[in-house]
């Protein structure tokens, strides 16, 4: 027997929960004897599989596919390179901050607000006109057919004005949301800088998860391991991607 039941949570919350669960599974330290700061973020440039943390006498990352020819990556060296890169960014996020401030400065709602007031005034005048039409119909000053024609015409005009009003309100709401997102992003950048000043491994991991989308691991022509991180800035709003390609030799 099929029966519809109300949802316990909204689809948006459910989808967010699935993403968090997937992230927790992917990045969980499990039984690791070391806190691998780049766990779940390193990807093999040969086969595309994730690198995993391994701790024998020396901690390192290796490709998760058995038999993959790609090289192992010393954990301390890889984490040091990525963290130094992040420190350079959080202490000097000038281009991103400037971009944020420029975008905030471009948000001008004056014109939209002015048109919104004009549309509301036109709707008020139209409502009064419809009342006058109804009055003339009741008093017999116009025929029913003529009155109906006038009401239909003003009804179409009202619908157009209502649609325009809804569009303007959506634009205003979108601009205010954008302004709030940009302001929150700027605050987050400053928060990351403060955290990086005295970061333990737990804080480092939080900052890395915020700024690092993924890190490719390849081998260069001369046999050097090549880390290719893609830095992101999309919390709470996607602002920019900052590309960097540090290298290291073994």
């Amino acid at each position: 027997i099929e029966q519809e039941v109300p949802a316990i949570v909204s689809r948006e919350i459910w989808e967010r929960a699935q993403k968090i669960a997937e992230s927790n599974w992917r990045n969980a330290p499990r039984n690791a004897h070391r806190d691998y700061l780049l766990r779940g973020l390193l990807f093999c440039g040969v086969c595309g599989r994730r690198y995993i943390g391994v701790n024998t006498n020396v901690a390192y990352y290796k490709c998760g596919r058995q038999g993959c020819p790609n090289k192992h990556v010393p954990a301390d060296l890889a984490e040091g390179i990525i963290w130094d890169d992040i420190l350079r960014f959080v202490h000097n996020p000038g281009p991103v901050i400037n971009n944020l401030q420029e975008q905030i400065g471009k948000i001008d709602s004056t014109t939209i607000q002015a048109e919104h007031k004009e549309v509301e005034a036109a709707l008020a005048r139209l409502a009064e006109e419809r009342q006058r039409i109804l009055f003339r119909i009741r008093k017999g000053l116009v025929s029913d057919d003529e009155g109906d024609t006038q009401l239909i015409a003003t009804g179409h005009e009202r619908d157009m004005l209502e649609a325009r009003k809804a569009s303007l309100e959506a634009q205003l709401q979108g601009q205010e949301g954008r302004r709030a997102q940009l302001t929150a992003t700027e605050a987050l950048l400053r928060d990351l800088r403060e955290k990086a000043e005295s970061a333990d491994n737990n804080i480092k991991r939080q900052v890395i998860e915020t700024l690092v989308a993924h890190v490719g691991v390849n081998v260069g022509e001369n046999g050097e391991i090549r880390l290719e991180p893609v830095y992101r800035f999309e919390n709470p709003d996607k602002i920019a991607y900052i590309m960097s390609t540090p290298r290291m030799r073994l």
Side-chain angles (χ1 to χ4, degrees):
I1 301 174
E2 294 184 2
Q3 181 178 357
E4 291 188 6
V5 296
I8 297 175
V9 297
S10 68
R11 175 161 292 277
E12 180 183 1
I13 293 176
W14 186 87
E15 290 177 351
R16 283 186 60 194
Q18 300 311 303
K19 290 180 180 179
I20 292 172
E22 180 185 356
S23 175
N24 290 342
W25 179 87
R26 184 176 66 243
N27 299 323
R30 296 178 175 86
N31 295 321
H33 298 289
R34 180 184 185 278
D35 188 10
Y36 290 88
L37 298 180
L38 301 178
R39 64 180 181 271
L41 296 174
L42 293 175
F43 285 83
C44 178
V46 175
C47 69
R49 293 286 294 273
R50 290 183 197 276
Y51 265 57
I52 59 175
V54 178
N55 194 355
T56 53
N57 293 329
V58 178
Y60 60 92
Y61 296 93
K62 72 171 186 177
C63 179
R65 183 174 74 84
Q66 189 173 2
C68 179
N70 208 351
K71 289 188 175 182
H72 298 174
V73 181
D76 289 339
L77 187 54
E79 292 165 1
I81 287 174
I82 300 300
W83 184 247
D84 287 345
D85 224 18
I86 287 175
L87 285 179
R88 282 194 294 272
F89 167 66
V90 298
H91 283 95
N92 185 32
V96 173
I97 290 289
N98 292 339
N99 186 28
L100 289 173
Q101 293 174 342
E102 182 179 349
Q103 290 184 55
I104 292 173
K106 287 180 179 178
I107 296 177
D108 183 7
S109 304
T110 306
T111 303
I112 299 176
Q113 289 172 343
E115 185 179 354
H116 185 266
K117 288 182 179 179
E118 291 177 0
V119 170
E120 284 190 323
L123 282 168
R125 289 194 299 271
L126 198 59
E128 292 176 357
E129 183 178 348
R130 288 174 62 84
Q131 289 297 322
R132 286 194 294 270
I133 294 171
L134 290 171
F135 175 80
R136 289 197 294 269
I137 293 174
R138 287 196 301 270
K139 294 295 184 180
L141 301 176
V142 296
S143 66
D144 290 346
D145 289 342
E146 185 180 355
D148 288 344
T149 300
Q150 292 177 5
L151 286 173
I152 291 172
T154 55
H156 288 322
E157 186 177 354
R158 178 194 57 197
D159 292 343
M160 292 176 61
L161 287 171
E162 290 285 3
R164 182 55 182 163
K165 178 184 175 182
S167 173
L168 292 170
E169 288 174 348
Q171 291 181 52
L172 288 170
Q173 185 176 5
Q175 286 192 341
E176 289 306 310
R178 181 67 174 165
R179 187 192 302 275
Q181 287 177 330
L182 293 172
T183 303
T185 301
E186 190 174 5
L188 179 60
L189 273 172
R190 293 195 173 92
D191 180 57
L192 289 175
R193 183 169 64 247
E194 292 174 3
K195 286 183 175 180
E197 295 287 349
S198 56
D200 56 17
N201 278 355
N202 184 44
I203 295 299
K204 284 183 179 180
R205 177 65 192 177
Q206 292 178 27
V207 175
I208 287 171
E209 285 182 342
T210 301
L211 290 178
V212 179
H214 56 80
V215 182
V217 181
N218 288 288
V219 179
E221 296 179 357
N222 299 322
E224 79 275 11
I225 294 175
R226 183 178 179 182
L227 296 183
E228 299 177 336
V230 174
Y231 296 101
R232 67 184 174 194
F233 206 80
E234 54 183 8
N235 187 359
D237 187 37
K238 185 175 180 181
I239 300 299
Y241 273 84
I242 302 162
M243 301 292 295
S244 179
T245 316
R247 294 168 178 258
M248 63 181 183
R249 291 180 177 273
L250 298 182

